[in-house]
């Protein structure tokens, strides 16, 4: 599959060079890439799910390594893995049901299973046990050969049977692949419509004549506010500029063109203004499993100010930002230090960065972190595309979206082999 | 973070437009053609030296790739094999939409040669980026490229855009940060055209001279000393053909840029593009190696920082921006390491002290060894027990190349960089038997040669070293500069009509120093001219070519053509004296021969009377000092020059008039040639009479 290989390399490059920014764009592109990886994966006769998982993981690991800071990549990879497992499970269950059915009723001649002599009860029990067990990676790797062997041993040779069985296999494998791709398409759809889904809930949260504060710029927040505006809510927005990238300026500009009353303030004025604010609405870079938020730098300060004045602190996050890891996890690279040139002009300060004189190290050191961590106790509410949730509820959402086996992708190489 | 997406979409929309034209190409010179990184570069090419654990060339390539360059030609010369092998095994050979092609050459000794070779290959089809493999940047090329293209559309002569960066208001920063000399540029603030470029400006001279037409032609000129040259150029194809046309262009800046600026026949123009927030710098010497390493660690070059470039591997940024990498180094106890660069596989035994040193791969420091500031230890050197390596010394397993020119700028002329590789191979074989012999140089058990530092060069050593500038030097530097503070930025309109920009530095001693310095300059210039002339004589170089070469020398030393005339005449006469002769008449004949053969050369630098008078004065001086043999022949030679129409009678007469009022001692030669002058005067009168 040289085609996907090139795609993967290209995407890896972009991730590495930090050419793709923003969780949504990254998540969407990751999902699309994985979709093409899945469609290009050659399906073996046995153990298709494992093959799919293997190829997705192989690509996923590299993607995550390319930009460990962008957690959305890992999230999407895990989501896709989860999809594969789910689809496999539902197919196997369906097959099992069919198997049981065919074993019981001799009426149907057209299915191939009908030709088989009745399976031994033990074989059926083993197969069903293996499929009904929670689908962990270990069981998939170890037991699937078993369960695949079950029908094989049971089929009593014969060319016609073999052929028909392989035809069934291939149709089943096509089915699996097809289902998985369908589900990934849905995921892509979800990612691209998450803004609208979140924005739909805006009227329930923003009320007439309220004052909303936000920091920096987030597309989700923009859509959210505009949706409320479209529903004839009239309210005012305070925008903290979000130093050092000053994306708040862009947001303010955009809000004004959409006809919203906007006030631009400096980040440091947040505490002074917070008493006039009814609600803080911000975007996030990622939401961790404990309900903590990794967000643009400066938000922790805003959250503390909001807590002090008992102002609700609402975080908008699409479900692709939901990360199954905890912030204390060693894999999680919480922050990225960007170039100090965003803070100050190199030319103007180059005399302060003089290594040649004095002790050989400059007295000036500029640190420019990208993200802040907002602990869960400071967050009042998460609004995701599935509705509003408490920080303490996050782990449940995560259980819906991810399989426990995929949480640590890299450990697979050691434990799996 | 929706707003961030804008960048991505903008890039996408530009791409098809870019692709419709030529793919953007770049020439990467993987050889600096200097010797500033010796002795390390004797064994490994400079571009493969690790810069914060990654070979330098990776930074350059990564930047080119992200800047949208699609095809890179890497020109390798010294250690070309190593560079090619590295590139082939690296990820760069398998990148989609980014091809790296190597061009190998063994006889190129300068950037000029390299570009001529690339021109011959005929691989460049449009605008290209010219960069050397030791440049680190994160600037976006899009805007600079667009400006360049727009200018090209309006004016086909705008062939090059130079990237400059503002740096420091402090006058010493250039020196202390990057270890390079002060750079003066005159830029037209409206069009951004570069009008003047001087990187070897001797600050102590206290003035620089600008051509007055420059001020006449441009409504305003800003003279900058606060710009840093990033050595990133966007060039049009013509640049390559210009190099081919002007075979004597060697150095990119000194010859090419200055040549274009002075040459007004072709009318080619160079423009500048200033970058503000992005980073760009070139590793020119050990000082800038140190500075840029630290800039990278402080993430000024983001996203080209090691943790991003290496991807997943060992390097991770830890708190306080420290990088930790597995280096397979062994470091004993009680070791003090300060501000040093320690490469792979280094063994440092107990109790060593290192201050501001560079320690290359495989070095072993025996217990108690001390490296004083600025020490460079090349590959596999062993320093003996308790041995103290003196400050600024360079230690290598290879012996110092013997005929090294103290002025390393001229190094490329004697082609040592091309043959360095061969020599190192040969020497490697020889080393084993010699071990006992060289051991003494680095203490007991030590292996390696300490390179000798040249007379005079020692003073300069601290300028380029990795070690911080010692405080006393810094204070001195500050004092020197303070006097000239006024020079920062002046509007062209204020500059006096003579085109000479004089500072009001009238410190008592500085005037003398100035003269001394310009004198030194003149002497070295004279020597160069003499060498050129002798070569021309011995190799039967055509007069035209000799004129060209002398002209080039004049430009690089920033001399007036008056000086050229004098210098050429001096070398001619010196040749006459040095060629064998028994009597005065034979000497006269020698001189006559030489003058006859080379009169055209001399004549081409004597455009007006003043210059001719200069020649006479020069001759007079010679007769008094260096070539006393000529003293007796003074009138004859004068006559000879008159006959050959090198000197006009006006010049001789004016000289005589000037000398009339001088001291008696100065009049010796005037008296001797009295007859001749008398004759001249009479001839003139006769002529006048005839006219009447």
């Amino acid at each position: 599959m040289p085609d996907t290989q090139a795609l993967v390399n290209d995407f890896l490059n972009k991730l590495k060079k930090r050419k793709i920014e923003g969780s949504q764009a990254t998540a969407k592109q990751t999902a699309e890439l994985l979709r093409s990886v899945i469609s290009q994966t050659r399906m073996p006769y046995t153990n298709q799910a494992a093959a799919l998982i293997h190829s997705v993981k192989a690509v996923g690991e590299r993607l995550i390594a390319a930009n460990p800071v962008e957690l959305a990549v890992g999230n999407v990879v895990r989501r896709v893995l989860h999809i594969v497992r789910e689809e496999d499970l539902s197919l196997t269950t369906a097959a099992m049901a069919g198997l049981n059915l065919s074993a019981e009723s001799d009426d149907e001649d057209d299915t191939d299973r009908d030709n088989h002599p009745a399976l031994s009860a033990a074989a059926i029990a083993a197969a069903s046990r293996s499929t009904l067990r929670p689908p962990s990676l270990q069981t998939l790797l170890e037991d699937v050969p078993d369960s695949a062997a079950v029908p094989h041993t049971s089929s009593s040779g014969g060319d016609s049977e073999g052929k028909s069985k392989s035809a069934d296999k291939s149709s089943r494998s096509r089915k699996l692949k097809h289902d998985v791709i369908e589900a990934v398409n849905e995921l892509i759809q979800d990612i691209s419509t998450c803004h609208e889904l979140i924005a739909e809930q805006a009227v329930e949260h923003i009320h007439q004549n309220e004052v909303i504060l936000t920091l920096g710029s987030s597309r989700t927040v923009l859509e959210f506010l505009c949706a409320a505006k479209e529903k004839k809510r009239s309210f005012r927005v305070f925008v903290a500029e979000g130093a050092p990238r000053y994306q708040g300026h862009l947001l303010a500009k955009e809000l004004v063109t959409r006809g919203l009353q906007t006030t631009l303030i400096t980040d440091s004025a947040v505490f002074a203004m917070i008493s006039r604010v009814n609600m803080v609405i911000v975007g996030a870079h990622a939401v961790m499993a404990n309900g903590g938020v990794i967000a643009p730098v400066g938000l922790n300060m805003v959250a503390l100010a909001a807590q002090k004045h008992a102002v609700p602190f609402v975080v908008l996050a699409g479900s692709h930002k939901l990360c199954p890891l905890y912030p204390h996890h060693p894999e999680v690279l919480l922050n990225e230090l960007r170039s100090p040139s965003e803070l100050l002009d190199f030319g103007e300060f180059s005399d302060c960065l003089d290594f040649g004189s004095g002790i050989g190290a400059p007295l000036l050191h500029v640190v420019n972190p990208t993200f802040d961590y907002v602990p869960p106790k400071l967050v009042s509410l998460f609004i995701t595309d599935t509705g509003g949730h408490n920080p303490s509820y996050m782990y449940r959402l995560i259980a819906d979206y991810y399989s426990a086996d995929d949480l640590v992708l890299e450990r697979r190489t050691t434990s799996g082999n | 973070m929706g707003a961030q997406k804008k960048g991505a979409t903008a890039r996408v929309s530009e791409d098809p437009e870019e692709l419709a034209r030529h793919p953007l190409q770049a020439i990467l010179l993987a050889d600096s053609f200097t010797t500033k990184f010796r002795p390390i570069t004797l064994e490994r090419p400079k571009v493969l030296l690790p810069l914060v654990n990654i070979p330098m060339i990776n930074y350059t390539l990564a930047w080119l790739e992200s800047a949208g360059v699609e095809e890179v030609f890497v020109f390798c010369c010294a250690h070309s094999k190593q560079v090619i092998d590295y590139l082939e095994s690296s990820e760069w050979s398998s990148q989609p939409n980014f091809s790296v092609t190597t061009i190998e050459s063994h006889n190129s000794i300068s950037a000029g040669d390299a570009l001529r070779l690339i021109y011959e290959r005929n691989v460049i089809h449009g605008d290209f980026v010219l960069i050397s493999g030791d440049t680190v940047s994160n600037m976006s090329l899009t805007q600079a490229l667009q400006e360049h293209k727009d200018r090209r559309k309006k004016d086909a002569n705008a062939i090059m855009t130079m990237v400059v960066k503002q740096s420091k208001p402090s006058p010493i920063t250039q020196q202390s940060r990057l270890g390079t000399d002060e750079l003066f540029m005159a830029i037209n603030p409206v069009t951004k055209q570069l009008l003047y470029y001087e990187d070897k400006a001797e600050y102590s001279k206290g003035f620089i001279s600008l051509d007055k037409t420059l001020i006449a032609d441009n409504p305003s000129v800003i003279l900058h000393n606060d710009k840093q040259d990033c050595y990133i150029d966007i060039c049009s194809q013509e640049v390559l053909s210009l190099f081919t046309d002007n075979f004597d262009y060697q150095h990119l800046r000194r010859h090419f840029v200055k040549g274009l600026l002075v040459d007004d026949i072709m009318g080619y123009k160079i423009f500048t593009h200033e970058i503000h927030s992005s980073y760009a710098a070139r590793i020119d010497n050990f000082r800038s190696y140190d500075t840029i390493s630290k800039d990278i660690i402080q993430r000024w070059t983001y996203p080209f920082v090691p943790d991003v470039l290496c991807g997943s591997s060992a390097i991770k940024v830890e708190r306080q921006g420290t990088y930790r990498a597995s280096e397979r180094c062994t470091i004993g106890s009680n070791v003090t390491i300060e501000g040093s660069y320690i490469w792979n596989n280094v063994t440092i035994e107990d109790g060593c002290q290192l201050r501001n040193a560079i320690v290359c791969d495989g070095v072993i420091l025996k217990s108690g060894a001390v490296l004083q500031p600025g020490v460079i230890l090349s590959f596999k050197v062993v320093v003996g027990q308790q041995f103290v390596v003196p400050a600024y010394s360079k230690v290598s397993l290879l012996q110092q190349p013997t005929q090294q020119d103290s002025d390393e700028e001229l190094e490329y002329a004697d082609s040592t960089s091309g043959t360095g590789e061969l020599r190192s191979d040969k020497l490697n074989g020889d080393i084993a038997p010699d071990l006992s012999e060289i051991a003494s140089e680095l203490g007991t058990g030590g292996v390696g040669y300490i390179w000798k530092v040249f007379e005079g060069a020692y003073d300069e050593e601290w300028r380029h070293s990795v070690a911080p500038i010692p405080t006393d030097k810094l204070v001195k530097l500050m004092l020197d500069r303070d006097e000239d503070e006024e020079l920062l930025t002046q509007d062209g309109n204020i500059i006096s009509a003579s085109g000479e920009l004089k500072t009001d530095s009238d410190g008592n001693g500085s005037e003398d120093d100035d003269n001394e310095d310009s004198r030194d300059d003149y002497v070295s210039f004279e020597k160069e001219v003499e060498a050129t002339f002798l070569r021309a004589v011995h190799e039967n170089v055509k007069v035209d070519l000799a004129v060209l070469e002398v002209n080039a020398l004049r430009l690089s030393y920033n001399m007036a053509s008056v000086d050229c005339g004098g210098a050429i005449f001096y070398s001619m006469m010196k040749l006459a004296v040095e060629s064998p002769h028994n009597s005065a008449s034979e000497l006269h004949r020698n001189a006559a021969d030489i003058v006859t053969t080379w009169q055209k050369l001399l004549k081409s630098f004597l455009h007006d009377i003043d210059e001719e008078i200069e020649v006479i004065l020069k001759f007079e001086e010679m007769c008094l000092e260096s070539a006393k043999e000529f003293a007796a022949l003074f009138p004859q030679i004068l006559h000879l020059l008159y006959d050959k129409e090198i000197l006009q009678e006006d010049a001789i007469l004016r000289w005589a008039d000037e000398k009339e009022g001088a001291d008696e001692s100065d009049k010796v030669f005037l008296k001797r040639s009295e007859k001749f002058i008398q004759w001249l005067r009479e001839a003139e009168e006769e002529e006048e009479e005839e006219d009447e």
Side-chain angles (χ1 to χ4, degrees):
Chain A
M1 36 175 184
D3 189 17
T4 33
Q5 208 55 45
L7 276 176
V8 169
N9 281 339
D10 193 40
F11 189 62
L12 275 176
N13 245 325
K14 283 186 188 162
L15 279 177
K16 249 191 206 170
K17 302 286 151 54
R18 309 293 195 256
K19 272 188 178 173
I20 311 175
E21 282 197 330
S23 313
Q24 202 207 10
T26 323
K28 201 171 161 194
Q29 291 191 42
T30 313
E32 280 165 359
L33 182 76
L34 289 177
R35 182 178 59 185
S36 61
V37 167
I38 289 169
S39 67
Q40 298 269 339
T41 307
R42 280 170 47 124
M43 300 297 278
Y45 288 129
T46 59
N47 212 358
Q48 296 103 347
L52 278 186
I53 287 172
H54 180 78
S55 58
V56 169
K57 271 196 173 175
V59 173
E61 264 175 34
R62 290 169 63 199
L63 294 181
I64 292 170
N67 187 352
V69 182
E70 187 51 272
L71 295 166
V73 178
N75 297 346
V76 170
V77 171
R78 292 184 183 100
R79 285 283 286 274
V80 170
L81 288 174
H82 181 64
I83 286 169
V84 175
R85 289 178 206 283
E86 289 280 290
E87 293 300 329
D88 184 47
L89 182 63
S90 70
L91 270 181
T92 337
T93 330
M96 201 59 63
L99 238 160
N100 291 340
L101 192 72
S102 62
E104 281 159 22
S105 68
D106 291 326
D107 307 344
E108 292 164 331
D109 324 336
D110 45 341
T111 60
D112 55 337
R113 286 189 196 84
D114 198 35
N115 300 335
H116 296 166
L119 293 163
S120 70
I124 295 173
S128 61
R129 208 190 313 120
S130 77
T131 47
L132 292 177
R133 255 165 64 177
S136 76
L137 177 65
Q138 224 59 28
T139 50
L140 276 170
L141 288 178
E142 288 164 6
D143 296 333
V144 170
D146 267 2
S147 63
V150 170
H152 195 76
T153 45
S154 65
S155 69
S156 54
D159 284 10
S160 62
E161 276 118 342
K163 240 180 240 164
S164 62
K165 198 170 68 65
S166 72
D168 162 56
K169 276 278 168 202
S170 69
S171 83
R172 218 197 104 194
S173 76
R174 267 205 303 277
K175 182 90 170 66
L176 174 65
K177 206 174 193 177
H178 179 256
D179 286 355
V180 168
I181 287 173
E182 280 289 292
V184 173
N185 277 337
E186 263 172 46
L187 174 65
I188 294 171
Q189 192 67 27
D190 280 355
I191 292 170
S192 43
T193 58
C194 74
H195 291 315
E196 287 97 84
L197 288 173
I198 293 172
E200 271 172 22
Q201 309 165 43
V203 269
E204 296 161 27
H205 298 279
I206 299 177
H207 307 292
Q208 195 71 14
N209 293 329
E210 276 192 340
V211 175
I212 309 292
L213 184 132
T214 185
L215 179 137
S217 174
S218 152
R219 177 138 170 256
T220 327
V221 172
L222 176 70
E223 301 278 331
F224 193 79
L225 295 175
C226 291
K229 166 79 184 167
E230 273 160 27
K231 298 269 167 63
K232 304 284 178 232
R233 288 272 195 274
S234 113
F235 56 96
R236 288 198 293 155
V237 183
F238 286 178
V239 180
E241 58 184 359
R245 302 177 92 188
Y246 301 113
Q247 287 179 325
H249 297 177
L250 300 174
L251 180 73
K253 210 171 167 184
E254 189 68 20
L255 288 173
V256 167
T257 57
R258 309 260 185 121
L260 270 162
Q261 269 279 332
T262 309
T263 309
L264 188 71
I265 57 172
T266 58
D267 294 349
S268 38
V270 164
F271 200 89
M273 306 295 271
I274 199 82
S275 56
R276 295 163 56 186
V277 170
N278 297 98
M279 187 190 279
V280 178
I281 298 179
V282 292
H285 172 69
V287 179
M288 307 310 288
N290 64 345
V293 183
I294 295 177
V297 69
L299 270 184
N300 192 27
M301 180 191 74
V302 177
L304 284 169
Q307 190 199 35
K308 177 93 179 162
H309 286 263
V311 177
F313 186 84
V314 176
V315 177
L316 310 183
S319 55
H320 60 270
K321 291 188 178 174
L322 208 58
C323 181
L325 301 174
Y326 284 85
H328 53 78
H329 242 273
E331 274 89 327
V332 184
L333 193 55
L334 283 177
N335 222 331
E336 173 143 78
L337 296 170
R338 299 179 65 92
S339 168
S341 63
E342 287 172 353
L343 266 75
L344 44 83
D345 186 348
F346 187 79
E348 288 302 318
F349 282 83
S350 55
D351 52 337
C352 306
L353 295 164
D354 194 341
F355 304 97
S357 49
I359 51 166
L363 298 171
L364 179 67
H365 194 137
V366 188
V367 178
N368 179 16
T370 320
F371 302 120
D372 239 357
Y373 174 67
V374 182
K377 62 170 186 188
L378 295 182
V379 181
S380 320
L381 185 70
F382 283 104
I383 301 178
T384 71
D385 33 3
T386 56
H389 304 286
N390 262 332
S392 54
Y393 186 69
M394 279 301 128
Y395 80 101
R396 281 301 303 271
L397 276 185
I398 282 160
D400 284 351
Y401 288 132
Y402 304 99
S403 326
D405 305 295
D406 301 327
L407 294 191
V408 185
L409 281 179
E410 276 150 56
R411 202 169 291 168
R412 183 197 66 97
T413 43
T414 47
S415 70
N417 304 332
Chain B
M1 266 167 271
Q4 292 176 354
K5 256 192 68 183
K6 243 176 37 186
T9 49
R11 197 170 292 120
V12 170
S13 66
E14 277 162 18
D15 269 347
E17 187 192 341
E18 291 283 313
L19 287 173
R21 281 177 252 158
H22 301 291
L24 184 57
Q25 295 175 310
I27 297 176
L28 191 155
L29 301 175
D31 193 334
S32 57
F33 305 108
T34 57
T35 56
K36 289 189 181 159
F37 269 82
R38 283 196 177 177
I40 303 175
T41 46
L42 282 184
E43 288 165 75
R44 193 188 282 187
K46 180 175 165 193
V47 291
L48 295 188
L49 301 186
L51 183 69
V52 199
N53 284 340
I54 298 176
M56 279 181 207
I57 196 169
N58 272 359
Y59 289 94
T60 318
L61 284 172
W63 172 70
L64 286 173
E65 199 259 319
S66 72
V69 174
E70 285 164 65
E71 208 174 1
V72 178
F73 296 95
V74 178
F75 186 89
C76 333
C77 184
H79 305 288
S80 54
K81 191 91 178 55
Q82 281 187 46
V83 178
I84 292 170
D85 285 352
Y86 174 78
L87 286 176
E88 274 169 4
S89 61
S90 72
E91 54 172 343
W92 296 112
S93 50
S94 59
Q95 293 279 331
N97 306 326
F98 184 67
S99 75
V100 177
T101 318
T102 48
I103 295 177
E104 195 179 356
S105 160
H106 292 294
N107 47 18
S108 297
I109 49 163
S110 70
D113 287 345
L115 293 181
R116 280 186 277 276
L117 190 84
I118 290 169
Y119 181 72
E120 280 165 27
R121 296 280 179 96
N122 199 20
V123 286
I124 299 292
H125 306 296
D127 292 346
F128 65 95
V129 180
L130 180 58
I131 189 172
S132 66
D134 46 12
T135 309
V136 177
S137 174
N138 65 353
M139 67 173 281
S140 154
L141 265 185
T142 330
Q143 204 202 340
L145 208 62
Q146 198 53 47
E147 279 177 18
H148 178 77
K149 283 188 171 140
D150 290 349
R151 266 198 295 267
R152 283 280 290 171
K153 262 179 224 152
K154 275 184 243 149
D155 182 356
N157 280 335
I159 54 165
M160 183 162 140
T161 303
M162 245 165 83
V163 176
V164 296
K165 177 162 179 52
Q166 205 213 335
S167 93
K168 62 92 193 243
S170 147
I172 59 156
T173 314
Q174 192 101 6
Q175 178 66 65
S176 53
R177 254 189 74 78
L178 295 175
T180 49
D181 292 319
E182 186 95 30
L183 171 68
F184 287 98
M185 285 194 221
I187 296 171
N188 183 331
V190 183
T191 61
K192 302 281 177 224
Q193 187 182 347
L194 179 72
L195 302 167
Y196 177 79
Y197 185 98
E198 182 59 66
D199 57 348
K200 292 304 261 183
E202 282 291 325
Y203 215 113
S204 46
K205 243 198 250 175
F207 69 94
I208 57 171
S209 22
L210 297 176
D211 192 359
K212 59 184 163 219
T213 56
L214 200 138
I215 290 147
D217 294 348
N218 293 283
S220 61
V221 175
I222 293 184
L223 188 62
H224 294 277
N225 74 339
D226 58 345
K227 295 278 181 272
Q228 174 194 328
D229 188 350
C230 304
Y231 297 95
I232 297 170
D233 304 319
I234 301 165
C235 307
S236 305
Q237 261 179 303
E238 283 87 344
V239 171
L240 289 181
S241 54
L242 267 176
F243 266 97
T244 316
D245 296 345
N246 298 280
F247 56 89
D248 56 336
Y249 285 170
Q250 304 287 354
H251 193 275
L252 268 184
R253 291 287 183 256
R254 206 164 309 134
H255 298 137
F256 177 69
V257 170
K258 285 185 188 169
L260 279 198
L261 290 177
V262 172
D263 177 16
D264 32 65
I265 302 163
M266 306 295 279
Y268 286 125
K269 292 171 193 159
I270 299 174
F271 289 85
T272 55
H273 172 79
E274 192 177 339
I275 51 173
H276 295 277
S277 59
S278 2
Y279 186 86
R282 179 172 173 219
I283 297 158
D284 179 62
N285 48 42
F286 287 120
R287 161 66 38 74
S288 38
Y289 176 82
D290 176 55
T291 303
I292 292 171
S293 297
K294 285 172 181 162
D295 285 343
I296 291 172
I297 291 172
Q298 292 212 350
R299 300 179 84 81
W300 283 99
T301 58
Y302 181 92
F304 306 111
V305 284
D307 51 318
V308 174
L309 281 181
C310 274
S312 58
S313 73
I315 305 167
K316 249 190 183 177
V317 195
E318 291 178 8
R319 195 161 295 182
Q320 291 285 317
T322 48
Y323 289 90
R324 187 169 295 168
S326 51
E327 282 188 62
R328 301 182 302 282
C329 289
T330 339
I331 296 177
S333 51
N334 262 336
V335 172
T336 319
I337 300 175
E338 258 176 48
S340 299
Y341 294 84
I342 295 166
W343 296 0
N344 293 333
N345 292 323
V346 174
T347 309
I348 299 173
E349 292 181 1
D350 297 352
C352 290
Q353 288 184 25
L354 291 84
R355 287 217 165 72
N356 304 103
I358 292 181
V359 179
C360 296
D361 293 359
V363 168
I364 298 172
L365 297 183
K366 294 271 172 70
S367 56
V370 176
L371 303 186
Q372 287 184 346
V375 168
I376 314 291
L377 296 185
S378 190
F379 298 91
K380 298 199 176 100
V381 164
V382 180
V383 178
Q385 275 183 14
Q386 310 292 336
F387 187 79
V388 177
V389 184
Y392 304 124
S393 50
K394 298 172 176 175
V395 186
S396 169
L397 281 190
L398 306 182
Q399 239 159 353
Q400 195 160 17
T402 39
Q403 24 136 251
Q404 196 187 29
D405 204 317
S406 63
D407 182 5
E408 61 188 353
E409 300 307 321
L410 297 167
E411 184 73 26
Y412 48 74
D414 59 28
S415 82
T416 36
S417 60
T419 56
E421 196 177 6
L422 291 173
R423 185 179 307 152
S424 70
D425 288 346
K426 208 177 75 199
L427 270 176
N428 267 333
D430 295 345
I431 286 237
D434 289 351
L435 281 184
S436 52
E437 188 191 316
I438 47 177
S440 53
E441 258 190 84
L442 282 172
T444 39
V447 183
Y449 297 99
I450 298 184
W451 283 25
K452 282 181 202 69
V453 177
F454 289 95
E455 301 286 311
Y458 186 78
D459 289 344
E460 301 302 303
E461 213 50 45
W462 56 269
R463 284 181 191 271
H464 301 311
S465 155
V466 271
I469 300 178
T471 333
D472 52 328
K473 300 275 189 200
L474 206 63
V475 170
K476 193 164 150 260
L477 210 59
M478 284 294 269
L479 284 178
D480 284 355
R481 301 284 150 112
D482 278 348
E483 291 172 2
D484 303 314
E485 202 76 319
E486 303 297 307
L487 206 72
L488 276 180
T489 307
Q490 294 204 11
D491 198 56
N493 302 329
I494 321 171
I495 298 172
S496 60
S498 72
E500 239 184 9
L501 198 69
K502 273 230 169 192
T503 54
D504 18 18
S505 70
D506 39 8
N508 311 337
S510 72
E511 282 289 289
D512 294 342
D513 288 351
D514 291 354
N515 291 337
E516 204 95 303
D517 274 342
S518 57
R519 172 121 197 105
D520 281 353
D521 248 17
Y522 182 71
V523 169
S524 62
F525 169 67
E526 206 173 64
K527 274 191 189 139
E528 282 299 319
V529 170
E530 195 187 329
T532 312
F533 177 71
L534 285 180
R535 194 152 41 85
V537 171
H538 294 313
E539 293 171 16
N540 277 329
V541 176
K542 281 206 188 101
V543 175
D544 301 356
L545 299 187
V547 170
L548 257 180
E549 285 190 32
V550 174
N551 248 329
L553 278 174
R554 175 172 73 88
L555 293 179
S556 61
Y557 280 87
N558 201 9
M559 292 289 167
S561 59
V562 182
D563 301 320
C564 286
I568 291 172
F569 182 72
Y570 172 79
S571 20
M572 286 164 102
M573 288 302 117
K574 204 163 167 208
L575 178 68
V577 174
E578 279 164 8
S579 42
H581 57 85
N582 294 326
S583 61
S585 65
E586 240 173 276
L587 177 63
H588 180 234
R589 205 164 49 241
N590 277 347
D593 280 352
I594 291 164
V595 170
T596 324
T597 331
W598 295 100
Q599 55 178 322
K600 255 176 86 188
L601 173 64
L602 189 50
K603 197 65 201 152
S604 55
F605 289 98
L606 304 179
H607 301 298
D608 58 38
I609 302 262
D610 287 338
E611 286 160 347
E612 289 172 19
I613 292 173
E614 179 72 20
V615 169
I616 305 177
L617 291 174
K618 183 88 206 166
F619 186 39
E620 207 180 354
E621 187 188 311
M622 277 184 78
C623 293
L624 278 173
E625 291 166 10
S626 49
K628 298 219 169 67
E629 291 101 317
F630 271 120
L633 289 172
F634 188 84
Q636 279 94 322
I637 300 283
L638 207 57
H639 194 183
L640 174 74
L641 292 174
Y642 174 71
D643 274 353
K644 295 290 175 200
E645 290 180 353
I646 290 168
L647 300 180
Q648 297 171 30
E649 56 185 47
D650 280 355
I652 299 173
L653 290 178
R654 285 243 315 258
W655 167 74
D657 290 346
E658 273 175 35
K659 283 287 169 181
E660 211 61 60
D663 294 346
E664 276 307 304
S665 56
D666 270 2
K667 281 193 189 170
V668 182
F669 294 104
L670 184 62
K671 281 200 181 131
R672 283 196 191 157
S673 45
E674 213 161 7
K675 260 191 204 156
F676 174 60
I677 290 164
Q678 194 65 35
W679 176 76
L680 273 180
R681 282 192 209 278
E682 276 163 17
E684 193 177 30
E685 275 159 25
E686 266 169 39
E687 244 171 61
E688 274 166 17
E689 277 163 22
E690 271 170 29
D691 284 353
E692 282 160 13

